[in-house]
Amino acid sequence: MSGPSPRMGRSLLLLAPLFLFLIGFFVWPLFSMMSQAVSDPAVLRLLPRTADVVGEWDRQSPPSMPMQTALMDDLRAVDDDQALGDMVRRLNSARSGFRTLMSKTTSALSDAAIPPPDLVSIDKRWEKREFWIAIADALSPLTDRNLLAAVDLGRNAAGAIEHLPADQSVNRVILVRTFWIAALVTFFCACIGFPYAIIAASLSGWKRDLMLAAVLLPLWTSLLVRTAAWFILLQEQGLINDFLRAIGLIDAPLALIFNRTGVIIAMTHVLLPFMVLPIYSVLITIPKNLMPAAASLGAPPMRAFLRVLLPLSLRGVASGGLLVFISAIGYYITPALIGGPGDQMISSIIAFYATGAANSGMAGALGMVLLVATLLLYSVYARLSSDEPGRR
């Protein structure tokens, strides 16, 4: 059996930069995000002795003296304040009260001239099994806590999955808001893009080129520039309000910015090409004599449209709708600049966890939720846009 040909070797060599680019800028960041979502070494890294002792605990009996001694030894050995803060934040999220308990305990262990005999002498809360169960659960290097919290779920003291309290349930509301805004943007893109694509497909020559160029023009402009332009247009003293007052339609300026209305207007404009182009690509494949043939058989224009043109173009509408929806659920700049506090989408929350709260695990978990939703929608889009036998 002969080895690989020199031609194949040269081909692989030419593709090597592409593979390196994909690995460095797509595969590795994606793997890093997924690993951070399920990785939780903050507690295990600082409490190795406690991990050895707690692993033999049955979780039913009171905390033993070796457990308390091991935890005191681990806390005395901690010399990294940032790592200690990460551990306390992790434990406090699992059991409320850990922040004050750990602060009191570490202060007593470091400041006392005579070391305390046990943890219970420092604080009576160390007698409670709930705090030790939280430590035992947090000692695992892998966790589903972030993934569950991303959809407002958590585990109780018995380990069963349950809904988080109402004051802690915010991610699901934001996810629903994200999908709702994306659905509205998709609907308005379809309402505008479908007639536009029909008109463009019915024309020819320079007129068709002009209409397609008008659709493609936003794609040649930076997203930030387009959003900044809408920021200027939608202001109370912007061009839109000035024009409406000039023609007498309104007496006072409309609230078009820092609300849901402005977000939908700006996102619809930005994503409209992704609706028009798939519909147009389907419409130009439909024979132009079908509508005249339906009219010659006595069908009124509306009936011919509903029974002939619309069913044949639904595949393009579905593909464009999924493409717009997939793009909309990940938008960040437009809602951040145009919307108000109640209009921020899941991408803004991911950015907050990643930069503001320094909680990369939660940011990765929300990113995984968004990734799964995108992959599911993309699989539907790929199925609709593929050339299936018998569908032509």
Side-chain angles (χ1 to χ4, degrees):
M1 185 175 183
S2 60
S5 63
R7 184 176 181 181
M8 181 180 297
R10 289 193 297 268
S11 300
L12 293 176
L13 187 62
L14 290 174
L15 291 174
L18 175 61
F19 291 147
L20 293 175
F21 177 83
L22 291 177
I23 292 173
F25 293 93
F26 180 75
V27 177
W28 176 251
L30 188 62
F31 175 78
S32 178
M33 178 197 72
M34 297 175 67
S35 63
Q36 288 180 356
V38 298
S39 177
D40 190 17
V43 180
L44 180 61
R45 185 169 61 247
L46 298 184
L47 307 180
R49 302 178 185 88
T50 307
D52 295 335
V53 180
V54 171
E56 302 174 357
W57 181 47
D58 60 4
R59 300 192 178 208
Q60 299 299 325
S61 58
S64 64
M65 190 61 198
M67 292 167 56
Q68 299 185 48
T69 303
L71 182 56
M72 288 191 294
D73 292 340
D74 284 332
L75 292 178
R76 289 193 188 99
V78 174
D79 57 358
D80 188 341
D81 293 337
Q82 182 176 354
L84 179 62
D86 293 339
M87 182 189 72
V88 172
R89 183 165 48 249
R90 165 67 178 89
L91 293 174
N92 193 70
S93 65
R95 178 69 182 179
S96 179
F98 251 113
R99 192 179 302 278
T100 57
L101 178 59
M102 277 295 184
S103 176
K104 182 178 180 181
T105 302
T106 54
S107 298
L109 292 175
S110 61
D111 297 339
I114 301 176
D118 55 24
L119 291 173
V120 178
S121 62
I122 300 175
D123 196 300
K124 293 294 184 181
R125 285 177 289 180
W126 285 117
E127 291 180 329
K128 298 181 179 180
R129 291 185 297 108
E130 292 81 2
F131 288 94
W132 290 94
I133 290 175
I135 292 177
D137 292 337
L139 287 171
S140 173
L142 298 177
T143 180
D144 59 357
R145 181 180 61 92
N146 292 322
L147 293 176
L148 293 175
V151 290
D152 291 338
L153 297 175
R155 293 189 181 274
N156 56 22
I161 297 176
E162 62 180 10
H163 290 282
L164 293 177
D167 58 340
Q168 302 178 25
S169 303
V170 294
N171 292 329
R172 190 176 299 179
V173 174
I174 297 171
L175 284 171
V176 172
R177 179 198 302 163
T178 298
F179 287 112
W180 174 243
I181 292 177
L184 288 176
V185 172
T186 303
F187 172 76
F188 287 113
C189 282
C191 292
I192 300 173
F194 189 62
Y196 192 96
I198 291 177
I199 296 173
S202 65
L203 298 176
S204 60
W206 66 269
K207 296 180 181 179
R208 174 186 290 185
D209 296 338
L210 181 62
M211 292 196 69
L212 292 178
V215 172
L216 294 173
L217 184 61
L219 297 178
W220 302 335
T221 309
S222 169
L223 174 62
L224 183 60
V225 172
R226 283 176 283 172
T227 303
W230 278 111
F231 186 87
I232 297 173
L233 292 172
L234 297 174
Q235 294 184 64
E236 290 187 358
Q237 303 299 325
L239 294 179
I240 294 178
N241 273 313
D242 288 347
F243 174 75
L244 294 177
R245 281 184 292 185
I247 63 178
L249 287 181
I250 59 173
D251 296 325
L254 299 176
L256 300 177
I257 199 170
F258 304 132
N259 53 31
R260 190 71 52 85
T261 302
V263 172
I264 293 175
I265 291 174
M267 289 182 63
T268 300
H269 168 256
V270 171
L271 295 174
L272 186 60
F274 298 103
M275 177 67 73
V276 173
L277 296 178
I279 298 176
Y280 171 79
S281 64
V282 172
L283 289 175
I284 59 175
T285 63
I286 300 175
K288 296 184 179 297
N289 58 359
L290 290 182
M291 292 292 286
S296 66
L297 294 175
M302 182 57 66
R303 184 177 179 84
F305 169 76
L306 295 176
R307 298 295 297 272
V308 178
L309 187 60
L310 182 60
L312 293 175
S313 59
L314 281 180
R315 190 177 177 190
V317 175
S319 298
L322 285 170
L323 198 58
V324 170
F325 190 87
I326 290 172
S327 302
I329 59 176
Y331 255 55
Y332 170 69
I333 294 178
T334 304
L337 293 180
I338 304 296
D343 305 307
Q344 300 307 304
M345 301 170 69
I346 193 64
S347 54
S348 298
I349 308 304
I350 294 174
F352 166 75
Y353 278 118
T355 59
N359 190 344
S360 57
M362 196 64 197
L366 288 171
M368 284 188 64
V369 173
L370 190 61
L371 176 64
V372 170
T374 302
L375 290 177
L376 291 175
L377 292 170
Y378 183 77
S379 65
V380 177
Y381 169 75
R383 183 175 180 84
L384 289 173
S385 60
S386 62
D387 294 328
E388 300 179 7
R391 292 290 300 273
R392 295 198 170 194

